[in-house]
Amino acid sequence: MCGIVGVVGTRNATDVLIQGLQKLEYRGYDSAGIFVTDETRTETLIKAVGRIAKLQEKIGIEVNGSTGIGHTRWATHGVASEDNAHPHVSETGRYVLVHNGVIENFKELKEEYLVADTFVGQTDTEIAVHLIGEMAKTSATTQEAFAKALKLIQGSFAFAMVDREEPGTLYVAKNKSPLLIGLGEGYNLVGSDAMAMIRETKNFVEIHDNEMVIVKKESVEIFDASGAKIEREHYVAELDLSDIGKGTYPYYMLKEIDEQPSVIRRIIQKYVVDGEYQVEQGIIDAVTEADRIYIVAAGTSYHAGYASKEFFEKMTETPVELCLSSEFGYNIPLLSKKPLFIYISQSGETADSRQVLVKTSALGHKSLTITNGPGSTLSREADFTLLLNAGPEIAVASTKAYTAQIAVMAVLAKAVGAANGYEAAKEFDLEHELALVATSMVATLDDKEKIANIVEGLLTGTRNAFYIGRGADYFVAMEGSLKLKEISYIQCEGFAAGELKHGTIALIEEGTPVQAIISGANTASHTRGNIMEVESRGAKVITIVAADCAVPTDDIIVPTVHKYLTSLAMVIPTQLIAYYATLQRGLDIDKPRNLAKSVTVE
Ligand code: M6R
């Protein structure tokens, strides 16, 4: 994953890099580093293991400069150490490079071109910068050396590089990994996303795969793979600096959980105007013409796909199949004659999903991306995009993006069903039902202290736990379980309640926490039966039940919403359970170990 940022021009480079890296920390946070220089070639290269704060502690106030590159790392090749932290330096010492991505042929490059070189760490990045140094031996310019190396490197990369002999220039390139140029007055920037640069500018230029960019304080020149110059218009980002602050919240995750009712209302406002669904005709036609929908996604977005399957099939009268993006290549489903691929991805940058998109596009299949990332890779490369409009999601654990994904899928299903006069869509007043969802969410959120109290003691010391549910509740169980394990490190399984007795019930012992979800009368009696089975084996059960099928002894009662949309309401307690369990265990809620927000490696 990793995050990179660079600046050249009239700004204090150190300050810009640190501010940018703090915004990119969600992409990886096991080590970080910066390189800064200026016209007089007063240079500093500093690295630290751990968070950006550790790096900051090592940087003295005298370190500034006008050109710089910075990096926050999520280890792929080699442990988190200063030797492996970026920036990396070429054998000759001339080039300094930061990199996000994975170079697949690094071993071959090393064996073919760099046998005599000495390396300080184990990263693929070090091979890349040594290779550029090697190419410079037979090149007239750095640009030529950089271009030659780019032709040899296979895999994913976003590079920002400084030639120490030319301190007013950044050499930039990308393939598969995200990278944007930010335009300032008297300075220009480069970063893994717009948030890293939003304090400095709202004007951005996209870089496409296999392009190289030369960034100076007054100019940005883009070249395609053949070396031809390209003109590209900039765009203005709608992001606001206040969107990416925590405000008075102790953690982004809690802020983002609390934002969900307003995100649902925003989705209604954006997508329903005077009762008309604002979905472009091309998308409606693509869904209507498809004989089968394949939803491709990972993690929470995959769970959002499952939560959407039933209403999508009913309202569009089209079968829906779910595909885990990282598995697609190994378990390729027998494709229908006219498939439509829907890529659900909060970031729009997930490499696993992107590699499927590349394959399905090559086969000529239409694609739609549902994302929170306008201008993201999946958005740019798919035929169509629907935006979540959820606002930036910073906490690694995805919350508001999940509910926004389901809501936007519902908008799409309703728009298609309404356009075709399908019965299930006609009967379903989505605008009204989503408003009820927002109200239900508010009620649950208002009662969060109760959830904090229920969690206390039960999950604070446990090593494992279960979520169980049937039907739509099974999908919420999967999501609730992912949320709990990724931030609290409690080993948790989301299980189909009826499947427990086929083996997994063997794991239930005295005190094992089991959260049972019941959102409808059709599953209530059977799931309650499963609750009794686990309780009689010692489990401590928390029941999360929709109001219309609750009994007074239930623990968490959620105001009932339409059966198509139960996941949107029932997931809120599971998010809060994960949050409070983690808080009580004293862990870093927003930045859990080993994870990153944007998973840009396969
Ligand atoms: O950006 P994406 O939605 O494509 O990301 C997919 C998963 O990496 C993501 O949902 C992950 O599972 C979250 N950390 C879960 O909270």
Side-chain angles (χ1 to χ4, degrees):
M1 273 74 85
C2 310
I4 69 179
V5 63
V7 62
V8 54
T10 54
R11 296 302 244 215
N12 175 338
T14 306
D15 180 45
V16 172
L17 297 181
I18 292 297
Q19 294 284 337
L21 290 178
Q22 282 168 342
K23 298 285 179 294
L24 291 173
E25 227 182 2
Y26 72 91
R27 301 179 65 87
Y29 33 79
D30 59 38
S31 54
I34 60 167
F35 172 76
V36 291
T37 182
D38 61 19
E39 298 77 38
T40 64
R41 292 187 56 187
T42 307
E43 300 173 341
T44 310
L45 174 64
I46 304 181
K47 305 178 186 189
V49 175
R51 306 274 165 97
I52 307 302
K54 292 275 179 216
L55 178 67
Q56 258 180 304
E57 284 168 16
K58 290 179 81 175
I59 300 175
I61 42 164
E62 71 287 356
V63 178
N64 39 49
S66 50
T67 298
I69 50 177
H71 187 271
T72 180
R73 180 168 184 249
W74 186 84
T76 55
H77 298 67
V79 296
S81 66
E82 282 194 27
D83 282 344
N84 287 329
H86 303 212
H88 287 288
V89 181
S90 62
E91 176 85 356
T92 54
R94 179 171 171 182
Y95 299 110
V96 187
L97 179 91
V98 289
H99 165 222
N100 166 31
V102 174
I103 297 170
E104 284 157 11
N105 60 337
F106 75 99
K107 278 199 190 117
E108 293 81 353
L109 292 172
K110 191 174 176 184
E111 279 159 20
E112 189 164 352
Y113 298 97
L114 309 169
V115 270
D117 285 15
T118 309
F119 295 91
V120 297
Q122 294 84 45
T123 66
D124 50 345
T125 308
E126 217 184 332
I127 310 276
V129 71
H130 277 232
L131 184 70
I132 297 163
E134 186 62 26
M135 293 300 124
K137 292 178 186 167
T138 55
S139 305
T141 62
T142 293
Q143 182 172 345
E144 189 185 324
F146 193 41
K148 279 185 191 166
L150 292 175
K151 286 208 165 64
L152 296 171
I153 292 170
Q154 290 164 14
S156 58
F157 55 79
F159 289 136
M161 184 183 80
V162 177
D163 172 355
R164 293 166 79 175
E165 293 177 8
E166 204 187 329
T169 305
L170 295 179
Y171 290 88
V172 172
K174 85 174 269 304
N175 184 44
K176 298 191 205 167
S177 296
L179 201 61
L180 272 180
I181 300 293
L183 303 178
E185 293 207 358
Y187 61 94
N188 288 310
L189 307 127
V190 55
S192 297
D193 70 20
M195 286 197 296
M197 301 177 271
I198 200 72
R199 199 186 68 149
E200 316 298 329
T201 185
K202 285 193 167 186
N203 299 314
F204 297 98
V205 180
E206 285 178 359
I207 315 174
H208 296 174
D209 283 355
N210 301 312
E211 290 177 350
M212 182 213 283
V213 190
I214 311 278
V215 185
K216 301 187 183 202
K217 70 175 181 178
E218 302 287 2
S219 65
V220 171
E221 291 178 300
I222 307 176
F223 301 90
D224 69 14
S226 72
K229 213 163 155 187
I230 299 170
E231 295 301 326
R232 184 165 300 133
E233 285 297 307
H234 77 277
Y235 68 92
V236 181
E238 282 180 26
L239 272 178
D240 202 307
L241 199 52
S242 61
D243 286 347
I244 53 177
K246 265 201 303 250
T248 55
Y249 281 90
Y251 290 97
Y252 280 107
M253 184 179 178
L254 190 61
K255 173 175 178 265
E256 289 158 8
I257 290 173
D258 267 355
E259 282 172 351
Q260 291 175 104
S262 48
V263 170
I264 295 294
R265 291 192 194 106
R266 195 184 312 150
I267 287 170
I268 304 173
Q269 278 164 9
K270 291 263 180 193
Y271 282 110
V272 194
V273 177
D274 297 332
E276 295 294 316
Y277 285 84
Q278 308 298 304
V279 175
E280 67 178 277
Q281 193 58 42
I283 299 179
I284 296 193
D285 292 345
V287 178
T288 304
E289 286 160 16
D291 59 359
R292 184 173 283 259
I293 306 291
Y294 295 86
I295 295 179
V296 181
T300 286
S301 300
Y302 178 67
H303 298 159
Y306 263 118
S308 311
K309 178 176 159 66
E310 184 192 351
F311 67 66
F312 208 91
E313 287 185 334
K314 295 235 164 80
M315 285 198 275
T316 67
E317 299 191 358
T318 309
V320 172
E321 194 164 328
L322 264 293
C323 306
L324 262 182
S325 48
S326 59
E327 276 295 305
F328 188 90
Y330 315 106
N331 291 306
I332 299 178
L334 181 63
L335 296 182
S336 63
K337 291 206 167 51
K338 231 165 176 278
L340 171 69
F341 283 83
I342 299 185
Y343 293 86
I344 304 182
S345 173
Q346 185 283 132
S347 62
E349 299 294 349
T350 300
D352 286 331
S353 299
R354 200 248 178 181
Q355 53 93 12
V356 183
L357 173 59
V358 170
K359 284 187 192 124
T360 58
S361 299
L363 291 170
H365 301 314
K366 284 224 171 100
S367 54
L368 160 68
T369 290
I370 296 190
T371 183
N372 209 23
S376 60
T377 307
L378 284 166
S379 165
R380 282 202 317 271
E381 296 184 358
D383 296 302
F384 307 104
T385 295
L386 283 176
L387 290 177
L388 299 181
N389 296 294
E393 190 180 67
I394 314 278
V396 165
S398 185
T399 52
K400 63 176 179 173
Y402 169 83
T403 43
Q405 286 162 344
I406 299 167
V408 170
M409 283 294 283
V411 166
L412 174 59
K414 169 75 189 183
V416 171
N420 288 290
Y422 296 146
E423 212 49 49
K426 272 202 269 177
E427 286 165 3
F428 183 56
D429 182 351
L430 178 63
E431 200 179 346
H432 172 70
E433 298 300 345
L434 281 178
L436 292 182
V437 164
T439 309
S440 167
M441 287 174 163
V442 170
T444 308
L445 293 168
D446 282 350
D447 220 6
K448 53 167 89 72
E449 285 309 311
K450 183 181 172 192
I451 296 181
N453 291 336
I454 291 172
V455 169
E456 193 162 13
L458 186 67
L459 292 169
T460 312
T462 189
R463 288 196 54 217
N464 62 348
F466 288 88
Y467 268 99
I468 57 169
R470 288 168 180 257
D473 302 335
Y474 169 40
F475 304 137
V476 178
M478 285 157 56
E479 173 56 14
S481 150
L482 174 59
K483 214 80 327 173
L484 186 63
K485 65 188 147 194
E486 75 173 321
I487 59 171
S488 74
Y489 317 145
I490 294 168
Q491 185 171 6
C492 186
E493 273 196 74
F495 233 79
E499 186 66 12
L500 266 188
K501 59 185 174 293
H502 297 292
T504 307
I505 199 164
L507 296 176
I508 303 290
E509 50 192 31
E510 200 56 44
T512 305
V514 175
Q515 286 86 239
I517 303 169
I518 302 173
S519 68
N522 61 330
T523 61
S525 69
H526 278 118
T527 304
R528 287 198 191 279
N530 302 132
I531 290 172
M532 288 197 291
E533 287 157 17
V534 294
E535 275 181 334
S536 56
R537 285 156 181 87
K540 283 199 165 172
V541 176
I542 299 175
T543 51
I544 304 168
V545 187
D548 64 342
C549 46
V551 296
T553 49
D554 282 324
D555 298 296
I556 300 168
I557 298 178
V558 178
T560 305
V561 301
H562 191 283
K563 66 176 171 126
Y564 284 171
L565 304 178
T566 56
S567 309
L568 293 175
M570 303 308 284
V571 80
I572 306 292
T574 73
Q575 297 170 343
L576 290 168
I577 286 171
Y579 176 83
Y580 286 115
T582 310
L583 191 69
Q584 287 157 17
R585 290 161 83 97
L587 299 168
D588 186 339
I589 293 176
D590 287 337
K591 297 191 187 95
R593 69 184 179 207
N594 303 342
L595 294 179
K597 182 75 184 160
S598 201
V599 186
T600 52
V601 295
E602 282 173 34

